[in-house]
Every structure is written in C-alpha cells, then in structure tokens.
Amino acid sequence: MTKRVSGMLKDVTSYDEIDFADLLQQAYCLEKFNKCAARVHRNTAFNPFCIHNLGQNKWFQDEDKSEDETHWSVKTKYHGKYTGLRNLGATCYVNSLLQVFFHTADLRQGIYNWEPVDPTKRLKLNDNGYVEAPDNSERIMKVVQELFLSLEHTARGVLDTKDFIDTLELSKDDQQDAAEFSQLFWSMLEQHLPSEITELYIGDSSYETECLQCGTVNTAQSRFTDLKLQVDGKYDLVDRINYLSIPDQLKGDNQYFCSVCQSKQDARRCFVIDRFPNILNLHLMRFMFDSETFMRKKDNSAIKFPSILKLREEEYELFAIVNHVGDGAHSGHYISHVKQEKDAWVRFNDDKITILDDLKLGDLDMKKRKQKCNEGEYASQSAYMLSYRRVSSPPPTTITTPPKLLVRVEQDNKEFLALVQLLREQAQLVAQQTEQKRIHMQDICTKIAAPDSDKFSVVDTKVLSEWIKTGEKQTYLLNTIACPHQNVEFTKVNTVKYINSVVTPQIFKNPSIVLTQDNLCHKCLRKTISEHIFISKLEQDFKKIMALQNNDKLTGWWVVKEDLRNLTNFVKQGLEGFNARVSCQHGKLHPDASRRRLISHDVREVISSYIPTYPVYRYDEETCPECSNSMVSSQEQHREILSKRRQLSRLNGAELPFVMNHTSYVVPRSFTNNVYTFYTYRNIARPVLENTSLLCSHGKLPENSIHSSNGFVSYLTEDEWVLVNRLFGPTAAIVVRTRAEQLLLQIENKVAAVKERIMQQARDRNLSSLYDTKPSTSQMPLPGETPQDLLKEVKTFITNCSNESDSITTSSDTCSNNYGSVKTELGSRPASLNSGGIDRGTIQNGGRSECTDSVMSDNSRDKNSVTATPDSASHMTSKPRNCGDNDNGYEQLKSAQVSLNHLVYTPSLCTDCVKEHSGIYYTNATIYIRPQEEGSMTKQNQVRPKPQPRTPSRTPKRSQRGDKVVKCDSEETIFEVKIKICGKLAVAPSEQMLTLENGNVLENESKLCDLGVMPGTVLLLFYSEIHQDESTIYTNTQEHGFKGTALSSI
C-alpha cells in the first residue's frame, strides 16, 4: 500500500466511509496531471505524468566533438607536421628521447645521409669460405633511419615503435633509465655518423691533479657528451655546473702516488672543462643509491634553469627537456618538450601532442607549489635531462632527404590516405544516419507527454529511459508493472510514467499489449481497502485486549507473554504456533512461569475470534512434573557453572600454550574465549564444548592444527578438562602428552591391574581363613598368579616399555634389591598394599622406592613427574641411589632425554589429507597490512617483542592504528595480495615489498598457506613515498644496470 492510500484510509473502519472514485484518483496519481513544471532540474518520481529530465536533452544538443576518439592507427599528423609515438607498455623513456633526437636538425640530417657499408667489405674467411660478418649496429641504424624518415614524411599521426623496440631487444614492460639509454644509443650513433655531426655533442675536459708536496700538476685529457650534475643541496643549474670545478682533496687512504716524489702524497684534483660542445646535454642526477637502506631513491627537488645559459661569455639556448613524472626511481612516466620556431614549445607525451604558447612545467610536479622564478627562468621538480644549443651555432634551416629513402614512406602514405578517406566517407554516412535519428527522436520526445489525464499509456520508467538513451525500440514487459489481474498495480505507480498513446508504436516492439488508462485495477484497490479495514479492527481489538488484561492474576487462562505481544503479527502474517510454547514436550503446562501470564475470559474470546484453536490451560492447571525436575537440574547446573569461575580463571581469553611436562587436553580457542565472555556477560547462552571441529574428515588430527602458535586451539590441564567437559560437554577428548608421560601412564595402568589381582587374592585368603583352617585347592593361587609371578610380570612390562622408547632401560642387576624388597613385602604383608598402593610406577616399601627414582627422576605424578624440557636435565646429573657401580643404565637413562620429548597424540595425526595436513586453510580471512616508514628497512631484521594477548572484545579491532585490512584466502599468492593492496593504497605491485614481522621477504609466487600466514597475521609493507624533509623517494627494488637491449653488445 502506498503512503497516499494509507493516509486516506487512516481513520476508516467501514467500507461505507470510502469514496472509491476519489481513492482511485489518489492511488494512481491522476490528479497530478499538468502539475509538473518543465523548468525542474530532475525528474519527479512520484508524479507519473512528469517526463522531464529522463535523458532526452541529449537529442536536442549538438554533438560534442572536442575529444578525439579516433583510433591511433588512423590518426593523421597533429597540426599537419607533428607525429607521436605509440607507448607499448613502459617505453615512454624511448619515445621521449627519440623525439628530442629527431628534432635536432643536425643529427637528423646525419642519419638521413648514413648509408650501410658495402657487404663485400664485411666478408671474413672461415672453413667454408667467405661469409658476411653480422653487424647489429648497422641493423639498428637502418631501423633508426626508417623511423626518422617516417616521423618527418609520414601522413600518420602516430607511429608504432614495435620494430624499433624489437630490434634493440628492449622489454616492453620494464621501464628503464632514459639517461642510460641515451648514452648507449649515442655510443652506437657515434660509430656511423660523420665527425662533423658527433663533434657537435662532444666537449673537451681534463682532470688536473696537483701534488701538495712538490707542486707537480698532472693533467689527464678526456671528452664528454653530457655533464652529470648532482642535485642534492643546490637547486640552481648554474650552481650545479660550478660545483663540478670544486677540487677534491686526496688524503689518508685515498692519497695520490706522485711520480716525482715516488711516494703517496696528499693531492688536490679538480675537473676542468676546456671546451663546451655546441649542443650541451645536462643530466640532473635525481636517482641515487642509498648505502644505508640499500635501495634506490629519487630526489624531487625543484631545479631552476634559465632559457639562456651563459658559459664563458658564450650563450646557450634551451631547446629540449626530458621530464620524469613520478615519485619513484623504478616507476613514473617520461615526457619531452621541444622548442620549435616562433618560441613555441611542443609537448610530446607518447601519442599525445600539445602545442604550448609558453613552457609551463608546474602541472607535471608532484607537489603543486608555484615556484618563484625570474624572467626567462624556469623551475621544475620533474626536469631530468636538459639540452642547450650554442646561439652562435644555429641548426640548419633545411634538411635534405635522399629520394631513394622516400619510396617506402610514400607508398605507405598512399595506402594510409586511401584508408583514411574510406573511413571518413563511412564516418560521414554514420553522421548522416545519426542526424536523421536525432531529428526523429526530437519529434517523438516533443509528443511523448500525455495529452489528458483520461487518455494515456502506462510504461516502465526504466524501459522508457533506456529507449531515450539508445533510440532503439524496446520490448514492453508486463511483469514489471502489472498486478495478478494483468492490470496496472497501484503500488508501483512511482516506477511508471504516463505517456501519449500515439507514440507507443514508435517506442515498443509489441505495442499491442501496452497498458492504458483502462487498465487501472479496481480489484486490487478494493482488496487493499478490505485488508486495511480488517487490520484497523484488529488493532482496535488489540488495544482492547491490553485494557482487559487480568490484573489480580488469580484466575484466567495461561498464554505466552511474547505471543500475546505479537498477536497482530500472528494474525497479519498468518503465522502458526500461537501460544504453543505454553506446553512442554510432554503436552502439559510448562513449568517456566516467567514466560507466561494470565488473561481473562473476555480477552480469550477476543483472541479466539481471530485464532479459533490454540493450546490453553486454566490458571489452576498443574505443571509437568518431569519438566519441573529437569528445570531444577538446569538451574542447579547453571549455578554450578557460575561457582566454578575461580577454578577456570585461566580461561580468560589469553593464549594457553602447550606445556611439555603436563598431559594437556586440546580445545578450540574460540571455546575458551566464549567461556570468558560467558563469565563476563552472564546474559548470553552457555558455551558448548565441541572438539569435532578440530578433526579432519578422517576423524584424525591435522598435523599443524593443534599447535598453539596458530591461534586456533588452547591447552588445558587435566583438572580443567574434567571440569569443562562436565559443565560444557561432553565431547571427545584430544590428548597431547610426551612419550615419557605415555610410557608412565601405561606402567600405571599395568601396575594398577596387577595390584587389583593381588588384592583380590589377599581378600580370598582372608575370607577363607574365617571359615576354614586350611584354604581349599580352589582358593590357592593358580600357576603364574602368585605375588612373585605378578611382580615379575610388572618388571617385564616396564622393561618392554623402556626398550620400546629407546630411552628408559631397567637393569635387573641394578634394581634387584628393590624388586626383592617389594617381593618380600608382597609375600609377607599383602594387605599393606591396600594402604600404600602402587602409584605411577612407584612400588612402595613403607617409603620411596629407589628403583623408581632412576626411572622417574625423583618426581611423582603430583609433581609433574617427567619433564621433557632442557631444564629437566638437572634431575639426571646425579646417579640414582642404590644402583651400584653400573653406569651403563645410568648413561642410557641420561641419553634418553631427547626421545622423551616426542609428543604422542590421541587421536593420532592424519597423513592422508593435503589441506588438512598443512593445518592452514581459510577463506575470506582478515590479514593486516602495516605500511612502514621510510628507512625502516634497516630495522626490519630486529627481533620484535611478541605482543601480549588482549582480552576479547565484542567487536574486532585492528592490531594497530593505521593498519589496512585485506581479505584473503589461504591459497592466494603474495602477488594476488599485492594487487588487493594496490586497490587500497594505490601502490603498484612492482613497488611493494611484503615481509613478515621477523624480516623475511615474501616472494610473489609463494602462497599464504605455504608461508604459514594465518588469519590476523600482520604483514609489513615497504613502498615508495615522498620524504617530508628532503623530497627523497625510497623504493625497495634492487639496483640493476641497463638490461635487455642489443645496444649493450655493440
């Protein structure tokens, strides 16, 4: 029922009070016709006549052609003269440098003039005759020449660099240093270009070393193609160039060997630039290696550089810049800027080319801070390589291209332009069709509004919006708006629109089934009215019931309190089971009086008018005696559980680890947490102990699932186990004990059985002496059942247990006195065993037995008899008493310490499972990612203290503030985890390094289950980030040289 109909029927209790025609108008919003202004900024959902702002405005607006969506392969030259280069993945560093090299006119002319060497001059002799020697550099030069020719003469707007990248054997996915590539590429060009071209880039320099003892100056001449300028500390380009001439002091271990003094002397060495080249390339060394963190870092400091650089009364003009945009040394993006005629700059960003009226580099900086610069000066945080040209040596104004080189380019242009012309014709045809469709849609949209409130078609708003969006005919769906009577359902009036029936054939494929104003459902509305009247009467009767409740509580009928409060829900929803809980399972009145109350006879009649039959009992009905006794027992059990809180004080939510010198019982860690929560908040249900969740499908223990280090289980003592199993169980016991404990338990059981047989014989003899002076033959001990035979059986059993474990060896010579004394005691005073007993391998002789001291290490069961820890070795340092000089048994006993440490599990460990065998299997579990501060890599190997367990909370909390939560499965790899981290922190997987808290680096291919990563584990994340003081970026990738290129082999 809509809010409008519900409001109209609010106070209606009879059908005669309703104006059905008016209600029909209100239910279907027919009175809202022509009440929606066209100037509204959004569509009015609760007015079905409102058809504004459904998306039809797109057909009345001109098509936006500002963004070029043409595929790169069919783009033409930018502004008729610039061609971009396609980025194949991470080849932006190649594209930026190629644009700089290409727009250096001298270099381009030299490459055009290059011709390969005559193959006959490259022949070499081998066993089979003359063969042509391979020359990779010529093959590369050929590709470079073709690429430069295409950049200048092609009609394409974007060139594919795949052939160039494959020829140089560069990786498409690994971004490398642009400066290193520039040096290798230039070294290859030097071999094939004439000297008048290479000399433009080469300057002369020297290293002058002056001996401070004799004053001798030694000069070493050298040449350079670029100047490498340190960035840190100085932010002005001129200062960085002057810094090169600051002399270095050679002292101490770095002394200089003077040829005149014939010994090592203190010296001063400086770098001197003798001649600057015509084209000066400056390399700003932003990437450095940090010896403390063993990682590469980037300096993002802003560097100021002039457009006109004055060096030794010579002026150099800036004409090219290579920028590295990004905060990491192994990631980011390269962009180049080249100066063209009329002081215009062109930005080459792979296949995107932008003409700039003035050079503005601030939009590329990581920190958007406006740098203060003088006129004719620039500042940039991303400038990486600068190219200056001597003003007195301008570039050539014209470049000549050999005609024979243009054949291939001209043929490609012919084919390309033909393709472009064909695509343009197709685009014009599509544009004409689109314009016709636009005019058609405009015509329909202007007629779509319903002309009258009594004549319209009903359509789904979503279907109508989809038609307006696409302009394609839609399928009319009845199931979205129709009621069971195949009419318009009034409850969905907010999801439909009333439109002109004239346009429905142009909107829908099946207009014949479109619902109209004649399909407003009267039946559904009348049914709703009847239901409302019934509910109104029910609510009034419910108020009457609340007013007629029996207040004296001495007579009446028993009903369940909660069912009485929910009477209206039982009636409205047709629920069964009203007042069913007043009966117990035996069909009698339930003894729990807290759940029921008395009602009067009048209240019962009102309830019976809505629910004719339901179980009911008179006020004087007797409760079920069986349930009463059971309820008393449950209450007593609950009181007993609360009274045992002190004995279960260790179950406080903290970790309960395994103790080697105890017999431990395994329970789920969640159970111990629930017990603590039960004692803390007593209003929750009693925990249930269930150990089956710890067993695998074979009914055995997974190998690693019972280790306390995984956080899944807790270990209880025997007293704690007996108590919790009785209070919260019962369930199957999972026992873990050492091998020594297991052997001693077997000895205990054997001695107890023998003791019982001896005592039975003693009781038989004592009983026969009361009646007979001489025992009968039937009462005499059978062969092998005498005390001496039974004692020998105990001794043999102990020896077998000792031999089985290879740890405890009983020597008959060493312990004969002890067994002899016990035999005498058993033979003369058998009744004394009833008072002394044989406890845990100790056969008493009025005191402690020395034989068992050697076996038990002077411990009893109450003193944690056998310890399997290294501390227990102190019990074995002295010889057992009364063992004579026989050291063999003592040495075997002392060497048995290691095998006693072996654990015995009941049930046994399962070796048939794979996932259960590893003990680590989970889905959608929480793993915490803790980002680390810069420089913390040097501290990651330090041992961190183990965090103390926290008391359980009702709501889970993160391990530390700032940790990121990632949901993972045990079978996921570290690389998959890094992808999830990338979605949260926007850090590329290649920039991430994950470690455990112990400092172990996690490899990408490793799975979480193989690494032992459990739910709740904290992984440390190291990645690049901006330094707050020095704008220095650290990355965790190891430093490598330039790799994967054929240039390095030239």
Side-chain angles (χ1 to χ4, degrees):
M1 182 186 301
T2 62
K3 293 183 179 180
R4 295 168 54 82
V5 176
S6 177
M8 294 184 63
L9 299 177
K10 181 178 181 180
D11 300 325
V12 175
T13 57
S14 173
Y15 200 88
D16 299 333
E17 303 176 10
I18 299 174
D19 184 357
F20 185 78
D22 183 51
L23 183 62
L24 184 67
Q25 290 275 337
Q26 294 287 339
Y28 286 97
C29 300
L30 300 180
E31 82 286 355
K32 290 188 176 184
F33 173 73
N34 205 20
K35 290 187 178 181
C36 184
R39 63 179 180 270
V40 295
H41 300 290
R42 61 180 181 178
N43 183 265
T44 307
F46 51 84
N47 184 358
F49 288 101
C50 179
I51 48 88
H52 302 295
N53 297 307
L54 291 176
Q56 58 267 45
N57 293 337
K58 62 175 287 187
W59 301 106
F60 293 88
Q61 298 174 354
D62 294 334
E63 186 178 356
D64 186 11
K65 299 182 180 180
S66 59
E67 184 176 354
D68 188 8
E69 298 181 354
T70 308
H71 192 265
W72 67 269
S73 61
V74 293
K75 286 184 178 180
T76 56
K77 271 184 176 292
Y78 292 90
H79 305 283
K81 55 182 177 180
Y82 299 119
T83 300
L85 297 174
R86 185 190 176 201
N87 191 336
L88 302 182
T91 58
C92 55
Y93 69 100
V94 177
N95 296 344
S96 60
L97 283 171
L98 286 176
Q99 293 286 7
V100 173
F101 286 142
F102 170 76
H103 287 90
T104 306
D106 315 77
L107 179 60
R108 192 195 323 171
Q109 184 65 67
I111 292 177
Y112 287 169
N113 296 336
W114 172 83
E115 292 184 0
V117 180
D118 187 357
T120 59
K121 297 181 180 180
R122 294 202 308 264
L123 298 181
K124 68 177 183 178
L125 184 63
N126 60 8
D127 297 339
N128 299 325
Y130 288 96
V131 295
E132 183 178 352
D135 191 346
N136 289 334
S137 62
E138 288 201 358
R139 183 165 52 90
I140 296 174
M141 279 296 298
K142 183 64 176 176
V143 174
V144 173
Q145 188 183 64
E146 293 177 354
L147 180 61
F148 276 30
L149 284 169
S150 298
L151 282 172
E152 182 174 359
H153 299 285
T154 186
R156 297 179 182 270
V158 181
L159 288 180
D160 193 350
T161 58
K162 184 177 183 302
D163 292 341
F164 180 82
I165 296 299
D166 292 343
T167 304
L168 269 65
E169 301 177 10
L170 294 171
S171 173
K172 301 180 182 65
D173 302 320
D174 295 333
Q175 186 180 98
Q176 305 194 64
D177 190 4
E180 292 182 78
F181 172 76
S182 176
Q183 291 177 354
L184 291 172
F185 188 69
W186 176 253
S187 299
M188 185 273 300
L189 293 178
E190 277 186 310
Q191 302 178 21
H192 301 278
L193 296 179
S195 59
E196 60 267 17
I197 301 297
T198 58
E199 287 296 326
L200 295 174
Y201 289 86
I202 299 176
D204 296 329
S205 63
S206 61
Y207 286 92
E208 295 181 354
T209 307
E210 179 184 2
C211 178
L212 299 181
Q213 180 64 26
C214 64
T216 303
V217 178
N218 185 19
T219 302
Q221 299 294 333
S222 63
R223 311 189 79 186
F224 65 90
T225 56
D226 62 349
L227 292 179
K228 297 176 175 58
L229 306 179
Q230 299 292 337
V231 175
D232 36 331
K234 299 290 184 180
Y235 307 126
D236 187 86
L237 182 66
V238 179
D239 292 341
R240 289 289 81 199
I241 296 176
N242 295 334
Y243 183 78
L244 294 175
S245 60
I246 297 178
D248 295 331
Q249 303 297 326
L250 306 180
K251 297 181 180 181
D253 295 337
N254 199 26
Q255 280 186 324
Y256 167 71
F257 182 82
C258 179
S259 58
V260 178
C261 300
Q262 290 297 313
S263 62
K264 288 187 175 182
Q265 300 292 340
D266 291 345
R268 181 171 55 248
R269 174 177 293 173
C270 63
F271 176 74
V272 179
I273 300 176
D274 301 324
R275 182 183 64 87
F276 285 98
N278 287 345
I279 298 177
L280 178 61
N281 292 320
L282 302 178
H283 173 203
L284 303 179
M285 301 180 65
R286 294 188 179 274
F287 304 129
M288 297 161 287
F289 184 76
D290 194 336
S291 58
E292 294 183 358
T293 60
F294 295 97
M295 293 183 298
R296 207 177 182 192
K297 63 181 181 180
K298 179 187 176 184
D299 193 321
N300 279 326
S301 303
I303 302 296
K304 293 183 179 180
F305 50 92
S307 59
I308 301 297
L309 179 63
K310 295 182 179 181
L311 297 173
R312 296 179 183 175
E313 299 181 357
E314 289 281 351
E315 291 185 350
Y316 285 80
E317 183 181 10
L318 179 67
F319 76 91
I321 305 172
V322 175
N323 300 82
H324 179 268
V325 183
D327 58 358
H330 294 275
S331 63
H333 184 59
Y334 285 94
I335 297 174
S336 61
H337 296 77
V338 179
K339 188 175 183 180
Q340 300 296 325
E341 65 276 1
K342 299 181 181 180
D343 296 332
W345 286 84
V346 180
R347 174 178 292 180
F348 293 94
N349 183 7
D350 293 331
D351 58 347
K352 299 178 180 63
I353 299 177
T354 308
I355 297 180
L356 308 175
D357 295 334
D358 189 15
L359 182 60
K360 296 180 180 180
L361 303 176
D363 59 330
L364 303 179
D365 293 343
M366 298 299 297
K367 295 182 178 179
K368 306 299 182 182
R369 297 178 181 176
K370 188 175 181 180
Q371 305 293 335
K372 296 181 179 180
C373 300
N374 300 324
E375 185 178 357
E377 192 177 44
Y378 307 103
S380 174
Q381 298 176 4
S382 60
Y384 184 48
M385 301 175 68
L386 306 175
S387 295
Y388 285 85
R389 188 183 189 99
R390 196 191 303 266
V391 176
S392 59
S393 178
T397 56
T398 59
I399 299 177
T400 304
T401 304
K404 62 180 181 180
L405 300 178
L406 296 176
V407 177
R408 185 188 61 83
V409 179
E410 292 175 351
Q411 179 64 26
D412 180 73
N413 287 343
K414 183 179 180 180
E415 297 175 357
F416 173 73
L417 293 177
L419 175 63
V420 170
Q421 181 63 26
L422 177 62
L423 294 177
R424 285 178 179 176
E425 294 176 357
Q426 294 179 353
Q428 290 177 359
L429 180 61
V430 171
Q432 293 176 359
Q433 296 175 351
T434 303
E435 181 64 20
Q436 295 175 359
K437 184 176 182 179
R438 189 166 70 91
I439 297 174
H440 176 69
M441 291 295 297
Q442 289 178 357
D443 181 61
I444 298 178
C445 290
T446 55
K447 301 177 182 178
I448 197 172
D452 194 348
S453 61
D454 296 335
K455 189 176 182 180
F456 54 81
S457 296
V458 184
V459 299
D460 192 330
T461 304
K462 292 182 179 180
V463 178
L464 182 62
S465 299
E466 185 65 21
W467 170 80
I468 293 175
K469 178 181 177 181
T470 61
E472 303 293 335
K473 285 189 176 182
Q474 305 293 313
T475 301
Y476 191 87
L477 302 176
L478 284 174
N479 56 352
T480 58
I481 61 175
C483 68
H485 310 102
Q486 297 300 308
N487 292 322
V488 181
E489 188 172 350
F490 74 92
T491 58
K492 297 181 180 180
V493 69
N494 292 340
T495 64
V496 300
K497 293 297 179 183
Y498 300 158
I499 65 174
N500 193 342
S501 300
V502 176
V503 299
T504 53
Q506 304 177 58
I507 298 177
F508 299 103
K509 300 176 182 178
N510 48 346
S512 59
I513 64 172
V514 175
L515 300 179
T516 64
Q517 71 282 351
D518 299 330
N519 298 110
L520 305 183
C521 190
H522 295 229
K523 295 181 180 179
C524 289
L525 189 58
R526 295 182 187 278
K527 179 181 178 182
T528 301
I529 295 173
S530 301
E531 291 177 353
H532 177 79
I533 294 175
F534 176 79
I535 296 301
S536 299
K537 183 176 182 302
L538 173 64
E539 292 176 351
Q540 292 179 1
D541 290 343
F542 183 74
K543 294 178 181 179
K544 180 180 178 181
I545 289 173
M546 294 295 103
L548 294 176
Q549 290 180 6
N550 195 347
N551 295 323
D552 55 12
K553 298 183 180 180
L554 297 177
T555 61
W557 308 83
W558 290 112
V559 295
V560 178
K561 295 179 181 178
E562 185 178 358
D563 290 355
L564 184 61
R565 289 193 298 267
N566 296 327
L567 174 64
T568 56
N569 293 335
F570 276 96
V571 177
K572 291 178 183 179
Q573 302 176 17
L575 302 178
E576 298 180 356
F578 177 78
N579 208 36
R581 289 178 294 172
V582 76
S583 303
C584 67
Q585 58 183 349
H586 307 100
K588 299 180 180 179
L589 182 63
H590 198 282
D592 188 2
S594 62
R595 67 168 64 176
R596 49 187 166 85
R597 63 165 301 157
L598 288 171
I599 59 173
S600 63
H601 180 74
D602 295 337
V603 173
R604 185 192 175 193
E605 288 183 350
V606 174
I607 296 176
S608 299
S609 63
Y610 293 99
I611 306 176
T613 57
Y614 61 91
V616 66
Y617 296 93
R618 289 177 54 85
Y619 69 93
D620 54 355
E621 187 81 21
E622 294 185 358
T623 60
C624 178
E626 297 181 16
C627 294
S628 298
N629 297 334
S630 177
M631 184 175 176
V632 172
S633 301
S634 300
Q635 293 175 351
E636 292 178 352
Q637 183 183 19
H638 187 75
R639 286 193 294 268
E640 181 184 8
I641 292 175
L642 297 178
S643 66
K644 300 299 183 181
R645 179 174 185 176
R646 184 181 299 274
Q647 300 180 32
L648 299 177
S649 59
R650 285 204 323 134
L651 279 66
N652 58 0
E655 182 180 358
L656 300 179
F658 174 70
V659 181
M660 292 291 286
N661 48 345
H662 281 80
T663 297
S664 298
Y665 292 80
V666 182
V667 296
R669 176 74 180 275
S670 58
F671 168 74
T672 58
N673 292 340
N674 293 338
V675 170
Y676 172 75
T677 307
F678 173 75
Y679 281 127
T680 305
Y681 312 101
R682 299 187 179 184
N683 57 343
I684 65 174
R686 178 176 68 93
V688 178
L689 177 59
E690 184 60 58
N691 275 350
T692 56
S693 59
L694 299 177
L695 304 178
C696 68
S697 58
H698 307 93
K700 298 182 181 180
L701 290 173
E703 185 175 3
N704 292 333
S705 66
I706 59 173
H707 294 336
S708 60
S709 60
N710 61 20
F712 287 164
V713 298
S714 297
Y715 293 87
L716 307 182
T717 63
E718 185 173 3
D719 295 337
E720 291 172 340
W721 163 256
V722 172
L723 189 58
V724 299
N725 194 38
R726 179 168 59 85
L727 298 179
F728 304 103
T731 188
I734 301 177
V735 188
V736 182
R737 55 170 64 92
T738 61
R739 180 59 181 163
E741 291 279 335
Q742 181 74 5
L743 293 175
L744 292 173
L745 181 63
Q746 295 176 3
I747 294 173
E748 257 187 2
N749 296 336
K750 186 65 176 180
V751 171
V754 171
K755 172 184 172 181
E756 179 62 28
R757 289 156 63 185
I758 294 175
M759 296 300 299
Q760 182 63 37
Q761 292 180 9
R763 285 194 294 270
D764 292 342
R765 288 197 297 271
N766 293 337
L767 183 63
S768 62
S769 62
L770 295 176
Y771 303 97
D772 303 324
T773 57
K774 183 178 181 180
S776 62
T777 304
S778 60
Q779 294 172 344
M780 294 296 294
L782 298 174
E785 294 289 336
T786 62
Q788 293 80 4
D789 295 333
L790 295 176
L791 181 60
K792 183 177 180 181
E793 182 180 345
V794 172
K795 173 184 174 183
T796 303
F797 182 80
I798 295 176
T799 303
N800 294 337
C801 290
S802 303
N803 293 335
E804 179 185 353
S805 65
D806 296 328
S807 60
I808 303 177
T809 304
T810 304
S811 173
S812 58
D813 296 336
T814 304
C815 304
S816 59
N817 294 333
N818 296 321
Y819 281 103
S821 61
V822 175
K823 181 175 68 173
T824 304
E825 183 67 21
L826 290 173
S828 58
R829 291 169 38 212
S832 63
L833 291 174
N834 192 28
S835 60
I838 305 176
D839 186 23
R840 199 158 180 79
T842 301
I843 305 176
Q844 293 192 356
N845 184 12
R848 187 191 297 263
S849 170
E850 285 77 9
C851 174
T852 55
D853 289 340
S854 63
V855 177
M856 303 298 296
S857 304
D858 285 337
N859 288 314
S860 65
R861 182 178 183 84
D862 297 334
K863 295 181 179 181
N864 302 328
S865 60
V866 176
T867 58
T869 61
D871 297 337
S872 64
S874 59
H875 298 288
M876 299 293 186
T877 54
S878 59
K879 294 182 180 180
R881 291 171 288 177
N882 296 337
C883 287
D885 297 330
N886 188 355
D887 294 336
N888 185 31
Y890 169 67
E891 292 298 332
Q892 293 183 15
L893 183 63
K894 185 176 180 180
S895 64
Q897 202 66 33
V898 177
S899 60
L900 290 176
N901 291 341
H902 294 171
L903 300 181
V904 179
Y905 304 95
T906 305
S908 60
L909 297 179
C910 180
T911 57
D912 298 330
C913 301
V914 178
K915 291 182 179 179
E916 290 83 354
H917 183 71
S918 67
I920 302 177
Y921 179 70
Y922 49 84
T923 57
N924 199 31
T926 298
I927 303 295
Y928 295 101
I929 306 300
R930 183 170 301 163
Q932 297 300 293
E933 296 180 356
E934 179 183 328
S936 58
M937 280 290 295
T938 56
K939 304 177 183 179
Q940 66 171 328
N941 291 327
Q942 297 179 2
V943 178
R944 293 174 171 81
K946 188 175 183 180
Q948 295 296 327
R950 300 178 297 176
T951 55
S953 174
R954 287 185 174 182
T955 57
K957 298 180 179 179
R958 295 181 178 178
S959 296
Q960 281 190 12
R961 187 176 183 179
D963 288 357
K964 304 298 180 182
V965 173
V966 177
K967 297 295 184 179
C968 304
D969 299 340
S970 59
E971 295 295 321
E972 290 185 359
T973 62
I974 293 297
F975 185 76
E976 293 172 334
V977 176
K978 289 182 178 180
I979 293 177
K980 295 182 178 180
I981 296 174
C982 178
K984 290 182 173 291
L985 298 178
V987 180
S990 59
E991 290 291 315
Q992 301 177 29
M993 182 173 71
L994 292 175
T995 71
L996 296 172
E997 289 191 298
N998 59 9
N1000 293 336
V1001 180
L1002 306 181
E1003 300 296 336
N1004 287 341
E1005 299 78 11
S1006 302
K1007 293 184 178 181
L1008 295 178
C1009 58
D1010 298 335
L1011 296 171
V1013 176
M1014 305 301 301
T1017 300
V1018 177
L1019 301 182
L1020 306 183
L1021 171 64
F1022 299 88
Y1023 64 97
S1024 303
E1025 58 184 358
I1026 300 179
H1027 194 274
Q1028 296 179 355
D1029 300 327
E1030 301 177 357
S1031 300
T1032 303
I1033 307 305
Y1034 289 87
T1035 62
N1036 53 26
T1037 310
Q1038 292 184 348
E1039 177 67 14
H1040 297 286
F1042 201 86
K1043 56 183 179 180
T1045 174
L1047 292 174
S1048 58
S1049 62
I1050 297 175

